[in-house]
Amino acid sequence: MHRRNATIRVAAARRLRTYNPRAMQVSATPAAHSSVRLEVELPAERLDRSVEEATRRLAKRTRVAGFRPGKAPRFMLERVLGEKAVMDEAVEILLQQAYRQALDDQRIVPLTQAEVDVVQAEEGKAFRFTATVQVPPEVTLGDYKNFNFEPEIESIDDAKVQKVVDELRDQNAALRTVEDRPAEKGDLTVVGFVGTRDGVPFEGGSAERMPLILGEERLIPGFEDHIVGLSPGESVEFDINFPADYTDPDLAGQSAHFAVELKELREKILPPEDDEFARSMGEFADLATLRAEVRGRLERNALDHARHEFADRIIDYAVSNATLDLPPVLVDQEVEVMHDEFRATLARQGIAEPAYLKATNQAETDLHAEFRPRAEGRVKTLLVLSKIAEAEETDVSDSDVEAEVAEARRRYSGDAKTLTYFDSARGRAFIRSTLRRTRTVEALIDAWLAEHPEHAGLPHLEDDQRSAVADAQSAAAIGATDAAIVVEAEPSDEQAETRPAAGAPA
């Protein structure tokens, strides 16, 4: 049995049917993991013609002594190239033609590589092969409208307003050097310390001058408690245990000795909570005006948060009621997107991925295994929302897409790769699909609110309208195709092209 792989671009599958013309017979059967098994049979004369074509092709590109280019007969080519060379080439030619024709006949556009087995390839006999290929899944929607929950809006009371005012005072506090008392929780300190294990300093366990706000527990739990009560210039020594889940596995759960010196001590002096403070924060006539503005912002944020949470619950409800079989290739792609998002997060923190993997004693495969369950959830959500958008006939105009492309040019003006992605057909398809999903969910929310006029409204906040290109650099980084696009696209000639794997069938 011979094996071939065909690389196929991402696209959509359509209905399966049996096709029985005189020249070729094709049957298609659904298989596991959102795949289809094709069984193809061609008459013997098709293979005979491919043998003739293979002979001509090989003769043109093979130098055979005593023959002009293109004139060497089959038996001489097989003497030079091997007895199976012509048949291998013929099978290659026929597979390319028949596989593409079978895809067109069945209106199937595979998602990725097809596993092709040549069952019979003998001159004078019918040519038969099978091809198993992943296809976009059939999404069967369940209920996504008749949910029994409603938006939950956080109430804003005086205590929550006061908390914000206190935070504003803290952010605008002055700092004063403390000389007349020991350190207390909330003080700003500068400390130096040396950590040892069995009398030997360990990596990352020492610092000459480290800023520390007592009470924030930035270091090992309990470390800062030993500093409380010290005055500048004083030192303390103590033993402490690292947490069992500490990021460095060599230190996790282990005991260490620390010698700590308090080098500087300062305290925050909060501004008085009065009208003058309010005026210093902006165009506020007095403290009451500031409080009113804080309350208004908190109430608007509460409505916006309620709308977002309501949207998430609707999505979870719709996804949980839908049925589909996820193609592994779409999950694999989403894992790569998540991996790129993770790299970007590390980069923003100034951490190189190899350093992170070493510190956490992980390999890239461990990360992918960790990402995979969430990737499956993300892909399922994209596909279900796309199906709902189709059912609800949600439309996105070309002008809407172009407006988002313009936003991408503004947002990512210095990122040539991202801009190229969004200027491409694939990037524009990503934008259109994202907009369709967003508008579909927003329409479901608005429809529910219209049916429940007794409920407080959840207006769209103009300053919180997320662009379809926001946070999309990870998709652009790998040239991703939105998973939902595969159930929206139409098959094309280009999408049915094949590229056989190395090695010819025997």
Side-chain angles (χ1 to χ4, degrees):
M1 188 171 286
H2 312 293
R3 187 171 294 275
R4 274 294 180 274
N5 288 330
T7 301
I8 313 297
R9 294 189 177 89
V10 177
R14 291 295 182 260
R15 65 187 182 278
L16 305 181
R17 64 183 187 276
T18 301
Y19 181 76
N20 294 298
R22 295 178 60 187
M24 183 173 78
Q25 295 183 359
V26 182
S27 65
T29 307
H33 304 300
S34 188
S35 59
V36 171
R37 175 183 169 86
L38 295 171
E39 296 182 10
V40 183
E41 179 175 318
L42 295 97
E45 56 265 27
R46 286 286 297 274
L47 180 58
D48 294 341
R49 291 200 299 270
S50 289
V51 169
E52 294 172 0
E53 175 64 21
T55 302
R56 287 192 295 271
R57 291 187 183 185
L58 291 175
K60 288 180 180 179
R61 64 175 187 253
T62 304
R63 299 186 64 173
V64 179
F67 294 90
R68 289 179 295 165
K71 299 301 182 180
R74 175 179 176 178
F75 76 92
M76 288 300 299
L77 292 170
E78 291 177 337
R79 182 178 299 176
V80 172
L81 300 174
E83 63 177 347
K84 296 181 180 180
V86 173
M87 181 57 73
D88 287 351
E89 182 77 6
V91 168
E92 189 71 50
I93 294 169
L94 194 50
L95 273 178
Q96 289 285 335
Q97 297 171 349
Y99 181 67
R100 177 170 181 146
Q101 183 180 345
L103 296 180
D104 288 343
D105 291 345
Q106 296 293 309
R107 296 187 61 78
I108 295 172
V109 185
L111 287 175
T112 184
Q113 290 187 332
E115 189 175 88
V116 180
D117 293 327
V118 178
V119 179
Q120 181 170 282
E122 299 179 34
E123 291 182 78
K125 296 183 179 180
F127 178 73
R128 301 205 311 269
F129 70 91
T130 66
T132 303
V133 64
Q134 292 181 44
V135 297
E138 285 294 327
V139 180
T140 303
L141 293 177
D143 179 51
Y144 58 88
K145 291 183 177 180
N146 300 310
F147 38 83
N148 59 3
F149 51 84
E150 61 182 40
E152 297 178 0
I153 304 174
E154 178 188 9
S155 62
I156 304 302
D157 55 21
D158 291 342
K160 291 173 181 174
V161 174
Q162 185 61 46
K163 181 181 178 182
V164 174
V165 172
D166 290 342
E167 290 172 352
L168 291 173
R169 293 175 63 211
D170 184 76
Q171 293 166 10
N172 290 272
L175 297 179
R176 182 184 74 86
T177 300
V178 177
E179 298 176 343
D180 55 353
R181 65 167 175 80
E184 299 175 350
K185 290 287 182 70
D187 285 342
L188 285 78
T189 68
V190 175
V191 299
F193 56 87
V194 176
T196 58
R197 293 181 61 197
D198 300 324
V200 179
F202 57 90
E203 184 179 357
S206 302
E208 274 293 320
R209 295 177 60 83
M210 173 174 282
L212 205 60
I213 299 177
L214 300 183
E216 289 192 348
E217 295 287 355
R218 283 181 53 201
L219 300 179
I220 309 167
F223 187 98
E224 296 169 15
D225 294 339
H226 294 278
I227 302 172
V228 173
L230 294 181
S231 295
E234 292 184 340
S235 300
V236 65
E237 296 192 23
F238 54 89
D239 293 327
I240 195 168
N241 290 326
F242 284 87
D245 59 353
Y246 193 67
T247 54
D248 186 340
D250 293 333
L251 296 175
Q254 301 299 310
S255 177
H257 182 81
F258 282 92
V260 182
E261 178 188 0
L262 177 59
K263 296 189 173 185
E264 294 181 15
L265 178 63
R266 291 180 293 175
E267 66 177 344
K268 289 182 178 180
I269 306 298
L270 300 182
E273 187 178 332
D274 55 19
D275 293 343
E276 184 178 347
F277 165 69
R279 285 189 286 270
S280 73
M281 297 304 300
E283 297 181 0
F284 304 106
D286 50 30
L287 185 60
T289 306
L290 173 62
R291 286 179 175 278
E293 173 63 20
V294 169
R295 182 182 294 274
R297 285 184 177 270
L298 289 176
E299 289 173 346
R300 289 192 296 274
N301 289 342
L303 290 175
D304 187 50
H305 182 70
R307 188 177 184 99
H308 282 300
E309 281 205 335
F310 191 44
D312 289 342
R313 294 184 70 184
I314 291 173
I315 292 170
D316 290 343
Y317 179 80
V319 171
S320 65
N321 288 331
T323 304
L324 68 158
D325 190 9
L326 288 180
V329 63
L330 295 183
V331 180
D332 292 342
Q333 176 182 274
E334 195 64 26
V335 166
E336 290 297 333
V337 170
M338 293 177 68
H339 193 174
D340 204 75
E341 292 170 350
F342 183 69
R343 290 191 191 98
T345 299
L346 291 178
R348 285 194 295 270
Q349 298 172 2
I351 303 172
E353 185 181 18
Y356 172 86
L357 293 175
K358 181 179 180 181
T360 57
N361 195 29
Q362 288 182 295
E364 188 174 288
T365 53
D366 297 319
L367 289 181
H368 285 196
E370 180 182 335
F371 295 153
R372 196 164 191 85
R374 284 184 292 146
E376 290 174 351
R378 282 166 60 156
V379 171
K380 185 174 183 180
T381 297
L382 294 178
L383 294 173
V384 171
L385 288 181
S386 179
K387 191 69 173 180
I388 294 175
E390 180 183 323
E392 295 294 315
E393 299 182 344
T394 305
D395 184 51
V396 175
S397 68
D398 291 342
S399 61
D400 293 333
V401 174
E402 290 307 315
E404 291 293 331
V405 172
E407 169 64 13
R409 293 191 185 105
R410 184 194 66 79
R411 187 185 294 261
Y412 304 114
S413 59
D415 188 337
K417 186 173 184 178
T418 299
L419 293 179
T420 299
Y421 174 72
F422 283 117
D423 272 329
S424 69
R426 180 174 293 181
R428 279 175 162 77
F430 178 97
I431 290 172
R432 188 181 300 275
S433 185
T434 301
L435 284 174
R436 282 190 78 206
R437 290 193 300 270
T438 301
R439 292 181 180 181
T440 298
V441 175
E442 293 300 316
L444 292 177
I445 294 174
D446 292 338
W448 187 91
L449 290 171
E451 293 173 1
H452 298 80
E454 73 283 359
H455 195 280
L458 299 175
H460 299 264
L461 295 186
E462 291 184 1
D463 60 357
D464 193 51
Q465 292 298 302
R466 289 187 60 79
S467 165
V469 300
D471 303 327
Q473 283 177 300
S474 296
I478 66 169
T481 299
D482 191 312
I485 296 172
V486 300
V487 297
E488 300 168 2
E490 292 294 334
S492 67
D493 290 340
E494 180 185 9
Q495 290 163 339
E497 292 176 357
T498 63
R499 177 177 57 82

